[in-house]
Amino acid sequence: NTKTIILIVSLRLMRIKMKRLKMTNFLKIRIKPCDFDYLRIIGKGSFGKVLLARHKESTKYYAVKVLQKKIILKKKEQKHIMAERSVLMKNIKHPFLVGLHYSFQTTEKLYFVLDYVNGGELFYHLQRERIFLEPRARFYAAEIASALGYLHSLHIVYRDLKPENILLDSQGHIVLTDFGLCKEGLEPNGTTTTFCGTPEYLAPEVLKKQAYDRTVDWWCLGSVLYEMLYGLPPFYSRNTAEMYNNILQKDPVLKPNVSNAGRELLEGLLQKDRTKRLGVKDDFLELKYHPFFSPINWDDLMAKKITPPFIPSVTGPTDLRHFDPEFTHLPVSSSLCTDTLTVTSSVKEAAGAFPGFSYGPPADHSFM
């Protein structure tokens, strides 16, 4: 009996030691706001800012998205933020989707530590050049389509494709970002009804507040491709009511400076009846084998073996020439490293509103 008791006690002690060791290891890899130097603001949104930050220990650069919990709660957007985190965690395997390295929180703020991409928004380059030639537009459309197809394979619908959410990396490849409006758990034949998106790129079924499916993303891709080739979204008007009427009633104007295959693809993607839209049956495969994309070797594209048609001129990570000076000239707040000391009821509510938000890579994964 004495031997049994000694064995049980020693086993318990071993368990306690193991737990302590695990906790120590966790604390070692646990990441905090002050592990970074925050260098510049590179973007702003409804809930907070995106900053260029350098990890003090590894000296690597990241884009750190810092969101204010109070604003998220006030606008009742917790679900969208947690969905964004969930989608980001599934995106690790795709070359044209922004990657999440860490997520963590303080009582007042949420932090996403993301890939830093400094080639500029597609929107920025399109504004400067007005239109892209067809080979360049095709290359971008192919990389975007493969990213959307991957999301669809995970039963995720993106819902907010627009040039502002499409970044270029320093090599000139597409990086799709901002997953705040993604819908998870949508099966191939599933539909959803939430009214969301950006006015210029809304599909007719969304505008009509009807049920819609994953083909909503192919409509948005059609709108973005049209804008790349023709300089404006297909149904654009400064008058929003007129633009909505155009989306619902008018056919897109397809001028002949685009190839027959290009015009045919645009017609297929900008089909108002979603049950006849390109991609309704076999999703991404219908686009992949469309004549417009025949010059693309998809294996080479996925392996980033195709030289991008345009390489952004950047001298290094701190070169911010492709970011809007409206953001980069703003002062960086010193409060990014501090947390509130006054614990009010709203702070308490905010502190507990995002359970399970924090994420770190597996223990054998060094800080990338």
Side-chain angles (χ1 to χ4, degrees), residues 23-146:
M23 184 55 76
T24 311
N25 285 340
F26 171 72
L27 289 171
K28 271 183 192 167
I29 65 152
R30 194 171 167 212
I31 198 129
K32 312 176 296 300
C34 285
D35 291 342
F36 297 90
D37 289 318
Y38 299 93
L39 307 174
R40 288 287 185 84
I41 294 170
I42 53 175
K44 277 185 96 173
S46 316
F47 309 121
K49 307 178 182 81
V50 182
L51 297 109
L52 166 61
R54 186 174 50 226
H55 186 247
K56 288 175 182 174
E57 199 181 313
S58 70
T59 70
K60 293 207 171 170
Y61 291 88
Y62 297 92
V64 180
K65 193 171 181 176
V66 184
L67 308 176
Q68 300 287 338
K69 289 184 180 180
K70 268 197 296 194
I71 303 172
I72 295 165
L73 292 173
K74 195 176 174 185
K75 296 191 174 182
K76 297 186 170 66
E77 291 285 345
Q78 300 98 296
K79 271 188 184 171
H80 281 156
I81 300 302
M82 292 307 280
E84 177 165 20
R85 177 198 164 278
S86 174
V87 171
L88 276 163
M89 285 185 67
K90 292 171 183 172
N91 287 352
I92 296 157
K93 297 183 186 79
H94 201 278
F96 310 125
L97 292 170
V98 77
L100 174 72
H101 295 269
Y102 280 86
S103 58
F104 56 93
Q105 58 179 308
T106 61
T107 47
E108 287 188 313
K109 299 182 186 89
L110 299 172
Y111 292 74
F112 287 109
V113 181
L114 303 159
D115 291 333
Y116 170 56
V117 181
N118 68 337
E121 293 175 356
L122 197 70
F123 178 72
Y124 168 85
H125 294 289
L126 198 46
Q127 270 195 321
R128 288 183 65 192
E129 300 184 40
R130 207 180 67 75
I131 60 163
F132 296 150
L133 294 177
E134 201 162 310
R136 183 172 173 185
R138 175 174 22 250
F139 175 81
Y140 294 151
E143 291 195 337
I144 297 163
S146 73

Side-chain angles (χ1 to χ4, degrees), residues 130-270:
R130 207 180 67 75
I131 60 163
F132 296 150
L133 294 177
E134 201 162 310
R136 183 172 173 185
R138 175 174 22 250
F139 175 81
Y140 294 151
E143 291 195 337
I144 297 163
S146 73
L148 292 173
Y150 174 73
L151 288 175
H152 293 177
S153 76
L154 300 175
H155 301 152
I156 296 165
V157 183
Y158 183 68
R159 302 200 290 192
D160 198 22
L161 189 71
K162 55 183 175 183
E164 293 91 328
N165 284 346
I166 303 161
L167 308 178
L168 294 186
D169 67 15
S170 55
Q171 277 81 49
H173 291 286
I174 287 296
V175 181
L176 202 55
T177 185
D178 200 340
F179 304 99
L181 291 187
C182 282
K183 171 73 177 174
E184 292 185 279
L186 203 70
E187 300 291 323
N189 297 320
T191 60
T192 186
T193 53
T194 312
F195 184 88
C196 64
T198 300
E200 292 90 327
Y201 308 96
L202 288 174
E205 61 270 26
V206 178
L207 261 181
K208 289 179 187 168
K209 301 190 175 158
Q210 295 172 345
Y212 58 88
D213 56 18
R214 62 190 184 181
T215 60
V216 75
D217 284 341
W218 301 130
W219 170 278
C220 292
L221 178 60
S223 300
V224 169
L225 177 59
Y226 185 100
E227 188 170 357
M228 287 194 277
L229 293 167
Y230 291 119
L232 279 174
F235 304 101
Y236 182 74
S237 166
R238 283 185 183 178
N239 179 322
T240 309
E242 190 182 315
M243 181 164 71
Y244 286 168
N245 186 57
N246 294 346
I247 290 170
L248 294 174
Q249 308 294 340
K250 296 226 171 136
D251 290 326
V253 177
L254 300 170
K255 291 173 227 152
N257 59 318
V258 172
S259 69
N260 289 342
R263 296 203 300 272
E264 189 190 292
L265 179 70
L266 288 169
E267 279 174 353
L269 295 172
L270 296 171

